[in-house]
Amino acid sequence: MNANVLEKLKILAESAKYDVSCASSGTVRANKPGMLGNTVGGWGICHSFAEDGRCISLLKIMLTNYCIYDCAYCINRRSNDLPRATLSVSELVDLTIEFYRRNYIEGLFLSSGVVRNPDYTMERLVRVAKDLREVHRFNGYIHLKSIPGASRELVTEAGRYADRLSVNVEIPKEENLKLLAPEKDHKSVFAPMLYIQQGVLESSEERKKFRYAPRFAPAGQSTQMIVGATAETDKDILFLSSALYQRPTMKRVYYSGYVSVNTYDTRLPALKQPPLVRENRLYQADWLMRFYQFKVDEIVDDAYPDLDLEIDPKLSWALRHPEQFPIDINRADYEVILRVPGIGVKSAKLIIASRRYSKLGFYQLKKIGVVMKKAQYFITCSELPMKTVNEMTPHTVRSLLLPKPKKKIDENQLTFTFSD
């Protein structure tokens, strides 16, 4: 690797780090004779996780960090004075292949600033993926960021080579997007999303008729929303996420706590640190919608538009609905058991399977994996003596389950320092 490409790698990997929607999951491609690598379910190398929990290393990089847009929240905005670089298509392809052969990476996550116009930039991204697949026979994972405003033809071509395509919503409400990024609108974001969806569904139908028909973006699509840059409530964010999940090809919505990279812009909030607790709560709520059969209006509503930062959303829901509890763990349906704080999907399935043979008590539930510290207030079983949420009141249960504050160091205490 020559010094020029190495310097570009440093700049473009640094510029790419704020995009979090880069999990490599949802597709499997076995190694084939004559092809390089496979896809299993330093600088620029990020760690993502497959569906079975394995860590996947990706080269996470931008094609260029030059951009014609001046989005207030973006480090690569046009008006920022920062080092700029552009990799040619051949340089990026060679870089990916060399990293792969050295076993540094298992795939590529490629995004780009917009230069000239969306179609010009998208065409170069497609060329990278096409050269990797057709010239170098690269069989590893490829995730391409589709450029908002790109034509249907280019998005369709990208889907033939990429495992996953994604377009970032960034700001949930269009009026706030217009405030921070006047040159963008939601139409330019949702149009490529629709092209991707149509491509995946058409490919699926074609493969039903022709077994070896080419796949289109087999890992579907994802998107990202910035949390805390504008005044949206968690209700606004989760209702948009819920609507996106209604689309059959949307696999993941990522939430990125706003990082204050452009402190001089008065349109942005003055945050000392990213809202990481809020980001975490949104992921937990997202999990409830996807795997626990919760509706979004059960998690947030007009009375509770924001998630509780002190307790997780499942516990928050349970404390707001004490009339639903306690439930008899030896009789309740699977869907009801899923709603008990401290019981996950795996534990709920084990409970259903285990109680066929004998009644379950405190120790059996604990052995199954139930977090009894939480669950004990919301269930009854064959030997549970603990008072339930209705006997103790939700406020009391909440106070018992709140995280204990960390002990502060008494500055008046005598302290010792040791030197080498």
Side-chain angles (χ1 to χ4, degrees), residues 173-222:
K173 285 190 173 181
E174 182 152 20
E175 58 265 31
N176 289 332
L177 178 65
K178 282 290 187 183
L179 175 66
L180 300 184
E183 299 146 307
K184 292 184 178 179
D185 56 41
H186 275 175
K187 181 180 178 182
S188 65
V189 173
F190 292 133
M193 283 186 178
L194 183 59
Y195 302 154
I196 296 167
Q197 176 180 315
Q198 290 171 341
V200 172
L201 295 178
E202 288 171 6
S203 173
S204 178
E205 289 299 315
E206 190 175 356
R207 287 178 64 81
K208 290 177 183 177
K209 299 175 183 177
F210 307 102
R211 182 177 179 183
Y212 295 105
R215 297 188 298 176
F216 182 99
Q221 60 178 311
S222 61

Side-chain angles (χ1 to χ4, degrees), residues 62-280:
M62 297 182 75
L63 189 65
T64 179
N65 64 345
Y66 286 98
C67 193
I68 61 174
Y69 297 139
D70 201 34
C71 306
Y73 48 80
C74 183
I75 187 65
N76 300 306
R77 60 187 294 184
R78 181 180 66 235
S79 57
N80 271 357
D81 183 16
L82 76 163
R84 305 278 182 175
T86 300
L87 283 166
S88 68
V89 171
S90 59
E91 285 175 334
L92 185 50
V93 169
D94 291 343
L95 192 63
T96 304
I97 296 299
E98 289 302 315
F99 271 39
Y100 192 91
R101 284 176 173 156
R102 286 170 170 77
N103 203 31
Y104 294 162
I105 61 168
E106 296 172 73
L108 171 68
F109 175 85
L110 180 60
S111 59
S112 180
V114 181
V115 289
R116 296 194 187 179
N117 57 64
D119 276 355
Y120 175 81
T121 308
M122 190 68 198
E123 189 270 336
R124 298 183 71 210
L125 294 176
V126 172
R127 281 176 53 201
V128 171
K130 184 176 181 179
D131 284 1
L132 283 169
R133 296 292 194 215
E134 295 189 349
V135 177
H136 295 272
R137 310 292 290 167
F138 180 69
N139 206 34
Y141 181 85
I142 298 178
H143 182 156
L144 289 184
K145 300 295 295 187
S146 183
I147 305 298
S151 68
R152 179 172 186 169
E153 291 75 19
L154 286 169
V155 175
T156 301
E157 187 177 7
R160 299 191 191 112
Y161 306 113
D163 292 280
R164 174 169 287 184
L165 293 171
S166 56
V167 195
N168 286 351
V169 174
E170 302 293 16
I171 305 297
K173 285 190 173 181
E174 182 152 20
E175 58 265 31
N176 289 332
L177 178 65
K178 282 290 187 183
L179 175 66
L180 300 184
E183 299 146 307
K184 292 184 178 179
D185 56 41
H186 275 175
K187 181 180 178 182
S188 65
V189 173
F190 292 133
M193 283 186 178
L194 183 59
Y195 302 154
I196 296 167
Q197 176 180 315
Q198 290 171 341
V200 172
L201 295 178
E202 288 171 6
S203 173
S204 178
E205 289 299 315
E206 190 175 356
R207 287 178 64 81
K208 290 177 183 177
K209 299 175 183 177
F210 307 102
R211 182 177 179 183
Y212 295 105
R215 297 188 298 176
F216 182 99
Q221 60 178 311
S222 61
T223 190
Q224 171 180 284
M225 284 187 270
I226 299 173
V227 177
T230 47
E232 286 92 353
T233 63
D234 295 335
K235 177 187 168 191
D236 297 325
I237 295 171
L238 290 173
F239 266 98
L240 177 55
S241 296
S242 178
L244 291 172
Y245 281 132
Q246 299 305 311
R247 303 184 179 200
T249 59
M250 182 59 68
K251 300 300 183 182
R252 285 293 304 274
V253 176
Y254 292 86
Y255 309 95
S256 178
Y258 168 65
V259 180
S260 185
V261 292
N262 299 319
T263 54
Y264 60 85
D265 197 316
T266 56
R267 293 172 293 175
L268 296 166
L271 298 180
K272 292 183 178 179
Q273 60 186 24
L276 297 180
V277 176
R278 185 184 178 195
E279 177 187 310
N280 183 49

